[in-house]
Each structure stands twice: as C-alpha cells, then as structure tokens.
Amino acid sequence: MAGTEHNRHEVSNLKDLTIFIKDIGFDTGVVVSVRHLSALLRRNNIDFEVCWYKDDRDLLEQIIKCQSKCINLQVPSFSDEIMNKILELNKNIVLSIHSTMCNLQVEEGVLGRIVNWSKMNNKRFRITCPSLCETEGFNTFSRVKFLYLPNTFSYELNKAQIERSIDVKCKAMNPIKISLFCAYRPFKNMITQVVAVAKLAQKYPVELHLFEEKSENPIYKSILQIAEQTGLKLVLQQQLSNMQCFELTQQMHLGLQISLSETFSYVAFEHMISGVPVVGSHSIPFSSLIAKYSDVNDMERCMEDIICSADRYKEYALKSREIAEEILTRNNKDALKTVYRMINARE
C-alpha cells in the first residue's frame, strides 16, 4: 500500500509508520529528508503517512488518536511538557534528530534536552540519527537506544545526460563556476572558504555562486566586503526550492562544503550524484577531496587539483558520481533496515 501525506486532524489508523513534522511554512533540510524517505518507503510498499502539525496542542491531539505501530517525531519542535505527555501514552515513539553533537550545542538547548531524554529507561522510546559515528557516540552514554537512520535520496537522474554535461563543462571552464550553497551560519565555515576561492581566483577565471541573503547577516555582509576588496566575482542566486537548487548545482563545475560539522550534507551529495566534484571537510568523508577546514592554502590546493585541466576535471567528476551512487545504494538499504526496526517496538 502506498504511503500518504496530509494535513493535520486527518490521521489514519493502523499504519505501520506515522511521521509527524511541524509545518513552519517553508521547506527545511528536515522536510527534504522526509520527502526522500517517503519516496523510499513508498517504493518498498511500507504502509506509512506523513502528518503535519501546527503547534504542541495539535501534535498531542493527533498522536492521541494515532494507532500506528510506530510514531516518528521529526526533530524536537515541541516542548518538554508535550514530550512527557507523549511518552506517557506508552506508544512506540521514535524521535529523529538531524544535527551533530557539535551543532546541538548551539541550537537553543537542544543538546541538554536530548541528554536528559537519554537518561530514560523506556524501551518504547528510541532516537534516530543520520550519522553512523554520531549514533555510536550517543549510544556510549544513552539508556535510550539510538538508531542509525541515514539520509536517502529519490530524485531521478539520467546518467547519459550527466556524462554529456560533464563533457560540456570540461570544454567550458572560463569561468569556473564554484558553488557555496548553505545557510549563513558559523559552523558552515563560509568566510574561510570564500578567502580560499579569492586566492584561487588570482590564478584561474573563477566565479563564486552563493544564495542571496535578505537579512542583516554578519557573515553575508563580510563575504560581500571580502569579494569587493579582492575583486572576486560573486553570483548571488535567489532562494530556491530544493528541486530548483538541485537543478542549479548541475550547472556548477565544483562545490564547496568545508564545514566544521555535518551529519551527512545533502548539498555535497546532490552535487556529486550530478557529477559535480566537491571539496569537503572530514565531516563529509565521501567528498571528492577533503581539505583542512582552517587552512586556506589547503583548500586552494584541493580546488586547483580538481580544475587544473580538463582531463583531471573529468576524472574527478565521473568518480564523484560513482561514489555518490554507492552511497545512495548503501543508505537506502540501511534506512529500510532501520525503519523495520522502528516499526517493531520490541527491538
């Protein structure tokens, strides 16, 4: 039976899995993750539904009515009081987090909440994490079982079309289009990467693509100032939907994601599955090349190694897609295995 997605107050009964996610009016990384997971579950005939809630009261009312085998809460977008009331229902509850231990420290006390929940001796409450090493880390101290639920991916791609795109880009490397698509947050390490691109631009015809930021974000303002002072050409893209952003990445020659902390990085993966090499940090071990996150010279060296010649670029581009395809197969398999564990409350 195919899965369903609907608005609040329409929760169905007797599903294998009901995924609850807060409706905040726009797509987030969590929404994208759920969308991809939903496509995987649908293809594998898992009986599930995705339900949206507007606030704490709405969430609790829906969960009280829900008779699914497993209730999956996407990120703790609710109060501790509501969480306690949900757990008191003695249903099979699985909370999914999407941040690293590093990032959780600066997300409005979320780390402290998770540590407190980890003290519970409740066999019908578990937590998922999209990073295997982070899952193992949480399980070293948590009484609540952490499960590894990797990020999945569902957009269809034409392999022959991607290979043709790589050939075209090999012959059109003036300018070299480099993307740095991410939120303007300190853990994304954007300033260091921008400086590295400015250094590379002294040798190669480079343009750096970023998203335009409407708010008074100090990181964004600093990037604009650095570009003006160094003469680095910036291309500021309008904010896009996830699919539009994915299509935009396919036009790039190279992606940067040399962040301080990531659980997976959809952005890096979406570049590589499209045949676009990525320079990442150790937080993204599948990256085409891994640079030291605090070393501008090392970042420049990695970028230059990829774009120094058409032949070299093509080699990296084809290998990047191959790596991403392997990750896609493995993550889908591991995610399905974990979903079956989630549904079985006795594990």
Side-chain angles (χ1 to χ4, degrees):
M1 182 183 295
T4 57
E5 181 172 339
H6 48 67
N7 295 322
R8 61 191 182 91
H9 300 312
E10 297 178 359
V11 179
S12 303
N13 292 328
L14 304 178
K15 298 285 185 182
D16 287 329
L17 175 69
T18 297
I19 300 171
F20 285 95
I21 184 167
K22 189 168 187 177
D23 186 357
I24 59 174
F26 58 88
D27 278 4
T28 64
V30 175
V31 173
V32 172
S33 177
V34 170
R35 188 178 298 137
H36 286 308
L37 179 61
S38 295
L40 177 66
L41 300 180
R42 197 172 293 115
R43 289 197 304 269
N44 286 272
N45 297 314
I46 293 176
D47 193 11
F48 78 99
E49 62 188 350
V50 176
C51 297
W52 302 83
Y53 65 94
K54 65 177 183 179
D55 53 32
D56 283 12
R57 179 179 177 181
D58 187 24
L59 173 62
L60 183 59
E61 289 177 353
Q62 292 194 60
I63 291 179
I64 289 172
K65 297 175 184 177
C66 182
Q67 299 301 315
S68 295
K69 294 179 182 177
C70 177
I71 293 171
N72 179 214
L73 307 174
Q74 288 291 318
V75 305
S77 302
F78 41 79
S79 66
D80 288 349
E81 179 184 3
I82 289 298
M83 184 59 151
N84 291 335
K85 290 181 179 179
I86 290 171
L87 294 176
E88 287 171 0
L89 297 173
N90 198 33
K91 297 187 177 186
N92 177 22
I93 305 294
V94 178
L95 170 67
S96 290
I97 61 173
H98 294 257
S99 295
T100 62
M101 295 180 191
C102 185
N103 282 0
L104 287 170
Q105 297 177 63
V106 294
E107 292 185 0
E108 298 180 3
V110 177
L111 180 62
R113 299 176 71 196
I114 291 174
V115 170
N116 285 334
W117 292 331
S118 75
K119 299 175 185 177
M120 298 179 179
N121 190 15
N122 186 340
K123 300 300 182 184
R124 293 180 64 79
F125 174 50
R126 290 163 295 172
I127 303 174
T128 72
C129 174
S131 165
L132 180 57
C133 63
E134 291 273 325
T135 300
E136 293 171 346
F138 280 117
N139 277 328
T140 62
F141 67 85
S142 179
R143 292 181 181 177
V144 172
K145 183 67 176 178
F146 274 75
L147 305 176
Y148 171 48
L149 182 61
N151 290 104
T152 60
F153 181 77
S154 61
Y155 296 154
E156 293 185 6
L157 291 165
N158 185 307
K159 184 175 181 180
Q161 184 176 340
I162 289 174
E163 290 176 352
R164 287 195 296 270
S165 175
I166 292 171
D167 286 336
V168 169
K169 283 187 279 189
C170 286
K171 299 172 184 176
M173 301 189 73
N174 186 2
I176 299 164
K177 297 179 180 180
I178 300 177
S179 70
L180 182 52
F181 294 153
C182 59
Y184 289 89
R185 300 178 62 194
F187 279 100
K188 295 298 184 178
N189 197 31
M190 295 181 74
I191 298 296
T192 314
Q193 295 175 79
V194 170
V195 173
V197 174
K199 198 167 185 293
L200 182 72
Q202 296 175 354
K203 304 178 187 177
Y204 296 89
V206 165
E207 61 181 33
L208 180 61
H209 292 245
L210 309 102
F211 286 123
E212 187 176 18
E213 176 62 51
K214 299 296 185 182
S215 68
E216 291 294 313
N217 187 292
I219 296 174
Y220 179 67
K221 292 172 66 176
S222 295
I223 288 173
L224 297 182
Q225 292 170 357
I226 290 170
E228 182 179 2
Q229 290 171 214
T230 60
L232 174 63
K233 182 178 179 181
L234 295 184
V235 178
L236 300 177
Q237 305 283 351
Q238 297 295 316
Q239 293 294 332
L240 304 170
S241 69
N242 180 250
M243 176 55 80
Q244 290 171 324
C245 183
F246 178 56
E247 292 171 349
L248 177 62
T249 65
Q250 298 170 34
Q251 303 173 25
M252 300 295 113
H253 288 91
L254 176 67
L256 293 180
Q257 291 293 303
I258 313 171
S259 49
L260 306 184
S261 180
E262 295 281 355
T263 49
F264 175 65
S265 182
Y266 261 123
V267 176
F269 178 85
E270 288 171 353
H271 278 72
M272 292 175 65
I273 198 73
S274 302
V276 179
V278 169
V279 179
S281 67
H282 282 287
S283 294
I284 313 170
F286 60 83
S287 301
S288 310
L289 280 178
I290 294 175
K292 299 174 183 177
Y293 61 76
S294 60
D295 191 331
V296 169
N297 293 328
D298 194 49
M299 294 179 188
E300 181 197 17
R301 178 191 61 78
C302 288
M303 288 186 285
E304 186 171 11
D305 192 39
I306 292 173
I307 55 90
C308 61
S309 72
D311 289 343
R312 188 73 163 167
Y313 178 77
K314 185 172 183 178
E315 179 183 344
Y316 270 109
L318 292 174
K319 184 63 176 178
S320 296
R321 175 168 170 79
E322 180 183 336
I323 291 170
E325 287 177 331
E326 292 172 357
I327 292 169
L328 174 59
T329 299
R330 183 173 65 246
N331 279 15
N332 284 355
K333 180 180 177 180
D334 289 344
L336 281 174
K337 183 179 178 181
T338 295
V339 168
Y340 288 125
R341 291 184 66 188
M342 290 165 59
I343 294 169
N344 185 354
R346 291 172 293 183
E347 283 201 32

